[in-house]
Amino acid sequence: MSAGTRAAGTPGEAPAPAGPPAARRSGPSPRTAGPSPRTAGPSPRTGGGSLRYAAVVAGLLLALAVATTAALALGSVRVPPGQVLDALTGRSGPSPYRTIVLDVRLPRVLLGVIVGAGLAVVGAVLQALVRNRLADPFLLGISSGASAGAVLVLVAGGGVGLLGGVTTTIALPAGAFAGALLALVLVYGLARRGGTMTSPRLVLAGVAVSYILSALATLLLVVAGRPEQFQEALFWSLGGLGSARWDTLALPAAVLALGTGALLTLARPLDLLLAGEEGAVVLGLDTARFRAAVFVLASLVTAVMVAASGAVGFVGLMAPHAARLAVGAPHRRLLPVAALGGALALVLADLAARTVAAPQDIPVGVLTALTGGPFFLWLLRRRPEGAAL
């Protein structure tokens, strides 16, 4: 009997299973059942496609250019737009307008761009590392730790002011980095129990550590017994860009460029970790070592930004959320858009801080807290109890 006859079925033999072979294999196999770690979460295509991504980036760049021009023109002294362009292009000679634009406002606007972008990038990365979209350098206590470390250096520096000298360029960022890293280790250790970490525990640990370190920084300033320095440091700790000068921009700009570039090279591991830790381990990612390395890098970027501007809160919370809505979750697209969104948000917040009560300068951290606080409460209310993301 030929193989073809046996395949058709003969009397006394069990009939072959009905249906073509492809149909018999259509059920889920152990290898394909459930979402794969490679495909879990939005793919780069789901962010809206290349055209949409380009449109989002172009729109943010245009909005940032408009906001920058407005920030250079508006303030306690209004500069006509034509004078702003003349000052930027070098067509105008020495004049009060040129001095205001180039020596006072432009460094401040550029610092706002740098700090806003840096905090937004760090916020997006932290949310992936802890798999919690409530994470933020301010809420996790990293900014407060950086402030406490910077104040400790300031007090120990024998009265060296915040606005000049070696304290600003080297010692202050170093102390801020040590404080930020210590705060992150404390929060992460307190939030984990039995190998798990829930959203409420993470937020409570971050808030508690933030309050403790903020109180420590205030105590250090009071004990130092320098009233003139206390007011300056207190205003700085609330977040502000008024100390910006051309010679203080180099370090934050370099750290932002190098840190963002390094994190972009880690976009794929961040996507894997965001999709699920088990899948990331199966695909060969050493999650413990990877988290530790990225935590150190995030703390370094945060520390330099805090040393330059003080503790500006909630930019790292709001900008990544807006970026995800625009381009999706993959970090290769998310990080640049979050950086542009954070830069735009802080430039606008600083513009409002300079103009709402002009000539009084409101700390920009106060305005970001007034807008970011309600946003955080909305996020906390809509998240289910114990949800990771």
Side-chain angles (χ1 to χ4, degrees), residues 292-379:
V294 180
F295 274 147
V296 171
L297 180 57
S299 298
L300 175 61
V301 175
T302 302
V304 174
M305 300 305 147
V306 170
S309 67
V312 178
F314 297 102
V315 174
L317 176 69
M318 296 183 290
H321 277 273
R324 283 192 192 92
L325 292 176
V327 298
H331 287 81
R332 192 169 298 278
R333 294 187 171 206
L334 175 66
L335 294 183
V337 173
L340 289 173
L344 176 62
L346 195 54
V347 168
L348 291 175
D350 185 60
L351 175 60
R354 291 190 290 109
T355 57
V356 167
Q360 181 68 32
D361 198 347
I362 301 173
V364 69
V366 173
L367 296 185
T368 59
L370 287 175
T371 55
F375 180 77
F376 168 73
L377 293 176
W378 174 74
L379 284 179

Side-chain angles (χ1 to χ4, degrees), residues 45 70 125 152 281 306 341:
R45 296 179 186 178
V125 169
L152 181 61
V281 172
V306 170

Side-chain angles (χ1 to χ4, degrees), residues 126-127 129-136 138-141 183-193 196-210 295 376 380 386-389:
L126 289 177
Q127 290 166 14
L129 289 179
V130 301
R131 301 194 67 241
N132 189 316
R133 291 183 182 174
L134 298 177
D136 163 77
F138 186 77
L139 293 173
L140 294 186
L184 186 57
V185 171
L186 286 175
V187 171
Y188 194 70
L190 292 171
R192 291 184 68 87
R193 180 184 298 172
T196 61
M197 179 174 57
T198 63
S199 298
R201 193 181 300 150
L202 182 72
V203 171
L204 289 175
V207 170
V209 170
S210 179
F295 274 147
F376 168 73
L380 190 63
L389 276 172

Side-chain angles (χ1 to χ4, degrees), residues 71 73-79 100 104-105 351 354-361:
L74 301 178
S76 56
V77 176
R78 293 181 177 268
V79 180
I100 291 172
V104 178
R105 290 183 183 172
L351 175 60
R354 291 190 290 109
T355 57
V356 167
Q360 181 68 32
D361 198 347

